[in-house]
Structure formats: C-alpha cells, structure tokens
Amino acid sequence: MLINKPAGVTSHDVVQQVRRRVGVRAAGHTGTLDPFATGLLVVLIGRATRLARFVEAKSKTYLATARLGIRTTTDDLTGVVVDTAAVMPDEPTVRETLTGFLGAQLQQPPQYSAKRVAGERSYRKARRGEPVELADVRVTVHWIELVDYAPPDLTFRTAVSAGTYIRAMARDLGDRLGVGAHLTSLHREAIGSLLVDDAVPLEQVTPSAVLPAIRVLRDMPGVDLDDAGRRDVIHGRAVVDGRAVGQRGSGVDVALLADGELIGVARSDGEWLRPSVVLETLEPG
C-alpha cells in the first residue's frame, strides 16, 4: 500500500491501522517517517514484507523546510533550543551552500536517532543525557535545489540515498552557513519511482487500496517464467537467465513473473537466476 502519512502519528501507528483496516497480521513499513513528518509511506503486506530490503534501498525525494538561526538537541522542531543567531545569510550564499551538499559524503546521524550504540537505541541514551558518539555514514545527495528562502525559513527539495537523515542535512546546512539550523517540516514525495501523488490518505485505507506486489519493484528488470520455471523458483531452484550469457552482468536483482504476477526475486550471476526471495507457494497436487 502507498499511504500519504499525516503529521502527528508514528510510522508504527500507520502500520497498526493498516493491520486493523485490511484485516492482516503481517505488515510493515519500509522507511520510518518521524511523527511530525508527512508523505509517502510504503506498507508491505503478507508475503510481500519479504521485499522490504529492495524498497528500502531506493533513493528518496523530500521537500524540507529548515529554520536558520536556531540549533536544537534533536536537529528538528521537537528538540530543545541550544543556540541562536540573529544575522541571516543572503540568498546567493544559501544557494551556493546547498550546492555543496551534492554527491557522496560522510554524514553524522543525529544523536536522537534509531541507530544502535552498544545494543541500545541512541535516542534513549540521549534522552538520559548520556553522551552519544555515532560513526559517520556514507550517503549520497543525488540532487538538491532551493525552493524558497524567506529568512529565517529555507525550503529545499532533494533526492538522497537510503539512510540519509534530512534533519542532519538541515543541521549541517546551518553549521556551514555559520548560523545553525533545525528542520521544521518534512514531506516525502517519492521512493524511487513510487510517488506520494499515487498514495491514499490514511483515513481512506481499505482493502481496495492494496496494490499488486510487483508495483514496488517496477524499476527492477523482470523475467517472465514458463510453468516449469515457475515450479523451479517456488522450490528455490535456479533457472537459466534468458538473456545472453554475461549480457545482464553479475549481481543484478531480477523480478520473477508468472502470468503477470510477481512470484519472487532472483540474483543473476550472468548465466543463472538464483532465487533470493520467493513469494508464492506450490499448491498441493
């Protein structure tokens, strides 16, 4: 399901509502949105929960607003103010600084994050006032643009790799501008080619909003299997890659289809498609 998450609820709350309204037990989201954030949340249902890692790996597109001149403990509007500045940079400086975020880089996750430190979520340690040291992670900003600048508020749109914290970007933006900043709003517009424009509001979640599993993998190359290939995949056996040997390349994920439906995902080694996820089971007889 593609859901347009409203502000004020957690991603876990959304999943719980989906379970109740659709009547399923197995359901999970693919990428947390903070309670104040809005926008696209992908919820996988039933055996499709096995596809989570493929959705989570996709790039994300966000519309974000940062408030310059105020640093907070959480790097967003939910935290305690720790520092302020009155002088604002001009727009050309803001545009140039935003451009500096393009490309691969190391990012320090917020202390108030779900990252684990010695087996415990870092935000729990931070709430107790304990020092938290999180290792930098490598992220990629594919593109970024200034949408509006009305000091002290700055709105930007960006597409980033999985694992990128937009509130950390807001924090770092403020630091680079020398005035501090924190995130005040966040709206996820896309996950790969999945768009919030195609999502349903949470209050309109019904069984009719459930989409075919192939929808979340439509960017992935696909292979149509005959009956024999379908049986092999259901039993976890590799099937011959229909493309010329070596043409696809090794290490490529491929969606396995039968009669237009997704039955699994395989990893190509250039000659064989070896199932890594199987959604369908073989009916008795």
Side-chain angles (χ1 to χ4, degrees):
M1 301 186 76
L2 306 181
I3 297 174
N4 190 348
K5 176 191 166 304
V9 297
T10 68
S11 299
H12 177 72
D13 291 337
V14 172
V15 173
Q16 290 294 84
Q17 290 201 40
V18 168
R19 287 174 177 153
R20 289 195 300 269
R21 296 185 183 195
V22 179
V24 296
R25 296 180 62 184
H29 64 78
T30 62
T32 301
L33 280 174
D34 289 329
F36 74 90
T38 63
L40 181 60
L41 192 71
V42 177
V43 177
L44 301 177
I45 296 170
R47 293 194 182 100
T49 55
R50 302 173 189 176
L51 303 175
R53 68 177 184 267
F54 304 109
V55 183
E56 291 167 351
K58 296 176 182 289
S59 65
K60 279 81 173 175
T61 302
Y62 295 94
L63 180 68
T65 298
R67 179 156 296 169
L68 301 181
I70 301 177
R71 293 183 175 90
T72 71
T73 53
T74 59
D75 302 326
D76 61 32
L77 75 170
T78 68
V80 176
V81 174
V82 295
D83 193 18
T84 62
V87 178
M88 294 291 107
D90 58 27
E91 184 171 319
T93 300
V94 168
R95 288 185 180 276
E96 182 180 357
T97 304
L98 278 176
T99 301
F101 280 88
L102 284 171
Q105 59 206 267
L106 293 176
Q107 182 187 73
Q108 184 180 60
Q111 290 190 356
Y112 287 79
S113 71
K115 295 284 186 180
R116 291 189 179 273
V117 179
E120 186 178 12
R121 301 291 186 185
S122 63
Y123 66 81
R124 292 177 179 166
K125 289 180 173 289
R127 286 173 181 169
R128 294 196 300 265
E130 298 179 16
V132 178
E133 293 186 8
L134 296 173
D136 291 349
V137 296
R138 183 162 293 279
V139 301
T140 301
V141 176
H142 301 295
W143 55 263
I144 188 168
E145 62 181 11
L146 179 65
V147 175
D148 183 61
Y149 183 43
D153 292 333
L154 180 161
T155 299
F156 63 94
R157 180 175 280 113
T158 185
V160 298
S161 63
T164 305
Y165 283 91
I166 305 302
R167 54 193 166 107
M169 288 182 63
R171 175 202 65 204
D172 295 342
L173 174 63
D175 289 345
R176 295 184 190 186
L177 291 169
V179 297
H182 68 282
L183 195 67
T184 59
S185 71
L186 183 66
H187 184 67
R188 186 153 63 197
E189 297 181 325
I191 300 176
S193 64
L194 303 173
L195 304 177
V196 71
D197 290 345
D198 297 326
V200 298
L202 182 57
E203 63 272 15
Q204 294 180 18
V205 167
T206 64
S208 65
V210 177
L211 302 172
I214 187 58
R215 180 71 177 272
V216 295
L217 300 184
R218 61 185 182 184
D219 295 333
M220 184 180 289
V223 168
D224 291 310
L225 302 174
D226 57 19
D227 289 343
R230 173 178 169 271
R231 287 194 298 271
D232 283 339
V233 168
I234 291 173
H235 287 294
R237 296 191 291 263
V239 293
V240 175
D241 193 338
R243 300 186 62 172
V245 175
Q247 183 178 354
R248 191 187 302 280
S250 181
V252 177
D253 289 317
V254 179
L256 303 174
L257 307 171
D259 297 325
E261 294 187 4
L262 181 71
I263 65 168
V265 177
R267 177 64 62 92
S268 173
D269 63 11
E271 183 176 1
W272 293 90
L273 296 172
R274 304 185 184 280
S276 55
V277 174
V278 177
L279 302 183
E280 188 176 354
T281 58
L282 196 63
E283 298 179 0

